[in-house]
Amino acid sequence: MTTKRHTTRIGEALIEQGELSQEQLNDALEHQKNTGRLLGELLVEQGTITSATLVQALAKCLAVRGCHLRHGLIDPALMTLVGEEEAERMLVMPMFRVHDTLTVAMAEPQSLPTLDRLRRLTGCKIRPVLALEPNIREFIGEYAGGNASVDSFLATLTDSDVEVIDREKVDEGPITDLDQMVADSPIVNLVNVALLTAIRDGASDVHIEPQSKGTRVRYRIDGILRDLMKPPMGMHAAIVSRVKVIGKMDIAEKRLPQEGRVRIVAENREIDLRISSMPTLLGEKLVIRLLDKENLKVCMEDLGFRMETLAAFKEVLNQPHGLVLVTGPTGSGKSTTLYSALDLLRSSETNILTVEDPVEYQLELVNQIQVHESIGMTFGRALRSILRQDPDIIMVGEIRDEETARIGVQAALTGHLVLATLHTNDAAGAVARLLDMNVEPYLLATALNGVVGQRLARTICSSCQTKYYPSARVLHDAGLDHSRGKVFLKGSGCQQCHNSGYLGRIGVLEFMAITPELRRMIHRSAPSHELRRQVRQQGGLTLHDEGVQLALDNKTCLEEILRVTQYDDDLGIENSTSHETKSRSVA
């Protein structure tokens, strides 16, 4: 809040910014002497400057960040952390929370007692932002009780929103700073509300879907889609156009699928957005994938490997040459597993090159190459060139075609360690997929050293976990008929986990190390089910078995494991489903 001892500094700051002339300042100071009012309030009342201009000038004088509060910048639910009475007494307004840091608008952001009180009330680190006292009081009254919602204020948006500012960086593409707020369009605000909410809640994707009676915006958290907001009717085309502009896509083309990409900065975090549009009967559907670098786990011990499985995987990675594959459906965490492997292997003595589409995360001491199929820079072409770059380790983002498969196998046979991903249901299925790509069985049998198969299972919310007894049907489907009466854990549902009982995800990972017997079977093109049976005979565990072990360790629920894996009693093998497949019905 403005104080008299700062009036001269504020006036000078406004003059430096070109918002005020010396004559206007002198007139305002003269008026202030007669009224005793604050200089900033007088300037705003006279229409000389706006409230937003004043708060930025004050922020500059106090060396803090400043903002003008409005709908879209505030998470209404956070008011309950402080309470209406405390908010009015301290003149504060909680805005949004990222992980354990709460951004709070304050009339006096340099008040240490207020900051300490906020830390005790919320249990969060406090990031203070300056706002004007009338602005804070207005929103305390509006959001008191935490009853306001995103949908309720979308219908009353004004032309005060977030401007997308592109700043070109060499070879990095445009960066959009969501922290820079200016007056523009309600559509811009709506899109940014969706993105900021999704980022704050740890979503992986945002879906913008046309409906017969409007638009539906959903986001995927821990592999499950949830409703985010339902904008008013008639806004779908404008929302689609706005997202296309951000992604540098053709807004005039509505009949063909398109792809775009942009890097944004939200709360001092760089996040890549990968945008896909698809024409449907009711209009264009958009999916925005959020790649948050802060969420990348490059430590293998954090992925979900059991100790025995991780030891076997590391043993294969330490071999000087050969092919190592990571398999699973889209969104199962294959890239994260590969990055973790590279983090383990990278050193100043090793030349590591990768071919990716896209390069999701950047790693030190790793030379990463982006595929550009539009100019002929394909996986196959990049791999052929990489072999002339004296590599020790090669990582292929995805084996998609026969050419890439053949070159990858040849590289593994000529003294290189090759890591790659493949879309198959499980580890054993990778062999059949490569044989279908016309890789010779005798070459594959020699080159392949190991295969990881993986899924992601939701973990139990620690805030609402409770004990329970699974039904007989669930125990039977999990292969645990002998465990009747055993106590397991599950989440009962709370606000923190969106009443789902789950918060976060863990990897369900199997590993098929290629033994001499498996090499002989691959050489004669043995089918996948025979390979699975051999792995079990050797003491290995399937995806289903690994998942059940996680449930027995109370890291997830049996029902969740049955959702992502299915067990076949007759063959003694498992068949996995993607996160988009509905779970089996359980009693």
Side-chain angles (χ1 to χ4, degrees):
M1 200 166 112
T2 314
T3 59
K4 291 183 180 180
R5 63 186 178 186
H6 287 129
T7 54
T8 303
R9 292 175 54 194
I10 293 167
E12 290 173 354
L14 288 169
I15 291 175
E16 289 177 6
Q17 294 173 11
E19 302 290 348
L20 195 67
S21 67
Q22 187 64 52
E23 182 180 352
Q24 289 173 318
L25 176 58
N26 293 336
D27 290 342
L29 288 172
E30 187 65 30
H31 193 193
Q32 185 194 27
K33 290 179 182 179
N34 299 328
T35 63
R37 298 180 61 189
L38 298 176
L39 177 63
E41 291 179 0
L42 286 173
L43 291 172
V44 172
E45 186 177 291
Q46 293 169 358
T48 307
I49 61 173
T50 64
S51 297
T53 301
L54 174 60
V55 77
Q56 292 303 327
L58 287 168
K60 183 176 180 180
C61 293
L62 297 174
V64 298
R65 299 188 68 122
C67 75
H68 181 70
L69 296 178
R70 61 182 175 276
H71 296 303
L73 298 183
I74 300 168
D75 183 348
L78 293 177
M79 175 60 86
T80 57
L81 291 178
V82 177
E84 182 182 354
E85 291 185 5
E86 288 283 2
E88 288 182 343
R89 185 182 66 80
M90 295 185 290
L91 287 176
V92 300
M93 183 68 207
M95 295 174 65
F96 46 86
R97 179 172 57 190
V98 178
H99 300 304
D100 62 345
T101 301
L102 179 66
T103 297
V104 182
M106 304 175 61
E108 296 181 358
Q110 293 179 315
S111 172
L112 295 180
T114 302
L115 291 173
D116 289 339
R117 177 63 176 162
L118 285 171
R119 277 191 287 267
R120 288 195 299 270
L121 285 172
T122 65
C124 299
K125 298 176 183 177
I126 303 300
R127 180 175 182 248
V129 176
L130 175 68
L132 298 181
E133 179 179 328
N135 195 204
I136 292 176
R137 290 190 183 278
E138 173 191 353
F139 278 83
I140 289 176
E142 188 159 351
Y143 288 106
N147 296 321
S149 66
V150 172
D151 289 345
S152 66
F153 69 73
L154 284 176
T156 59
L157 288 175
T158 61
D159 291 337
S160 180
D161 268 292
V162 180
E163 179 184 16
V164 175
I165 301 173
D166 289 341
R167 297 181 304 198
E168 297 294 334
K169 284 190 176 182
V170 178
D171 297 329
E172 291 189 2
I175 289 185
T176 302
D177 194 343
L178 289 185
D179 226 15
Q180 299 201 21
M181 306 295 180
V182 297
D184 194 353
S185 160
I187 297 299
V188 179
N189 199 27
L190 187 149
V191 171
N192 280 279
V193 167
L195 291 177
L196 287 170
T197 304
I199 292 167
R200 184 181 64 243
D201 290 351
S204 61
D205 303 88
V206 177
H207 292 237
I208 302 173
E209 303 165 319
Q211 304 286 309
S212 58
K213 296 183 180 180
T215 303
R216 185 182 189 185
V217 181
R218 299 187 290 172
Y219 59 167
R220 190 180 296 279
I221 299 178
D222 295 337
I224 302 297
L225 280 172
R226 307 180 190 280
D227 284 329
L228 175 58
M229 61 176 70
K230 294 182 180 179
M233 291 184 63
M235 300 182 72
H236 185 76
I239 294 171
V240 169
S241 295
R242 175 59 185 169
V243 175
K244 282 187 170 182
V245 167
I246 294 175
K248 305 297 182 184
M249 301 159 71
D250 184 358
I251 63 173
E253 180 56 70
K254 306 180 189 304
R255 299 169 298 174
L256 295 174
Q258 295 187 62
E259 293 184 359
R261 185 178 180 183
V262 68
R263 182 176 291 115
I264 66 173
V265 176
E267 282 303 293
N268 299 318
R269 296 154 57 196
E270 284 194 7
I271 296 169
D272 281 336
L273 306 183
R274 290 161 56 187
I275 305 167
S276 172
S277 72
M278 177 66 67
T280 71
L281 184 63
L282 298 175
E284 288 184 276
K285 179 185 188 299
L286 298 178
V287 175
I288 306 171
R289 171 151 291 187
L290 309 174
L291 299 173
D292 187 349
K293 298 180 181 180
E294 287 195 1
N295 289 337
L296 175 65
K297 294 180 180 178
V298 294
C299 180
M300 276 193 179
E301 285 72 14
D302 295 335
L303 297 182
F305 279 106
R306 289 188 309 108
M307 188 178 299
E308 298 84 351
T309 307
L310 180 58
F313 185 36
K314 285 184 175 180
E315 183 178 347
V316 168
L317 290 176
N318 287 326
Q319 296 182 17
H321 54 78
L323 177 63
V324 180
L325 299 173
V326 180
T327 68
T330 301
S332 60
K334 299 187 299 297
S335 296
T336 300
T337 301
L338 280 188
Y339 280 121
S340 301
L342 291 180
D343 182 63
L344 179 70
L345 297 170
R346 60 179 174 164
S347 73
S348 58
E349 300 174 351
T350 306
N351 181 22
I352 302 177
L353 291 99
T354 73
V355 189
E356 305 172 62
D357 183 24
V359 176
E360 296 184 4
Y361 303 102
Q362 297 180 12
L363 295 175
E364 294 292 331
L365 298 175
V366 178
N367 303 285
Q368 296 171 270
I369 301 167
Q370 171 71 53
V371 169
H372 292 286
E373 294 191 357
S374 59
I375 60 173
M377 186 63 164
T378 62
F379 276 106
R381 184 170 182 177
L383 270 176
R384 285 195 299 271
S385 299
I386 279 178
L387 293 175
R388 294 189 285 271
Q389 289 285 315
D390 186 30
D392 296 303
I393 300 171
I394 301 171
M395 191 268 271
V396 183
E398 182 183 346
I399 295 179
R400 298 177 178 175
D401 51 44
E402 179 179 334
E403 180 186 21
T404 305
R406 285 178 174 274
I407 297 174
V409 169
Q410 288 292 342
L413 291 171
T414 53
H416 306 94
L417 179 62
V418 179
L419 312 179
T421 71
L422 197 63
H423 282 92
T424 64
N425 283 336
D426 60 2
V431 174
R433 179 62 53 85
L434 289 175
L435 294 178
D436 287 342
M437 292 182 179
N438 295 321
V439 176
E440 296 293 340
Y442 70 94
L443 295 178
L444 182 59
T446 306
L448 190 61
N449 285 344
V451 187
V452 173
Q454 69 180 76
R455 294 294 185 278
L456 291 176
R458 294 175 295 171
T459 52
I460 301 168
C461 176
S462 60
S463 298
C464 62
Q465 68 179 20
T466 183
K467 297 178 180 179
Y468 85 114
Y469 296 96
S471 67
R473 175 65 184 277
V474 170
L475 290 172
H476 173 75
D477 288 349
L480 295 175
D481 291 300
H482 59 283
S483 297
R484 293 186 180 182
K486 178 178 172 57
V487 177
F488 288 80
L489 293 183
K490 71 173 182 178
S492 59
C494 63
Q495 184 177 1
Q496 187 173 350
C497 63
H498 302 274
N499 293 315
S500 66
Y502 299 99
L503 187 63
R505 288 192 288 180
I506 191 172
V508 182
L509 302 111
E510 66 170 340
F511 182 64
M512 183 176 76
I514 306 302
T515 61
E517 179 57 32
L518 284 173
R519 291 193 193 280
R520 286 190 287 270
M521 295 177 70
I522 295 172
H523 189 278
R524 62 177 175 83
S525 304
S528 297
H529 69 272
E530 291 185 12
L531 296 177
R532 294 189 192 99
R533 189 171 288 117
Q534 178 61 31
V535 169
R536 274 199 157 187
Q537 290 175 359
Q538 295 174 173
L541 298 182
T542 64
L543 273 172
H544 176 87
D545 298 332
E546 294 280 3
V548 170
Q549 288 297 320
L550 290 176
L552 289 171
D553 293 337
N554 287 322
K555 294 180 179 179
T556 186
C557 294
L558 285 176
E559 288 85 353
E560 177 66 6
I561 294 304
L562 294 177
R563 185 182 72 85
V564 298
T565 67
Q566 292 184 346
Y567 190 74
D568 191 318
D569 289 309
D570 296 329
L571 295 179
I573 61 175
E574 60 82 30
N575 295 304
S576 299
T577 58
S578 71
H579 64 255
E580 297 159 330
T581 306
K582 292 183 179 179
S583 62
R584 301 170 66 182
S585 59
V586 292

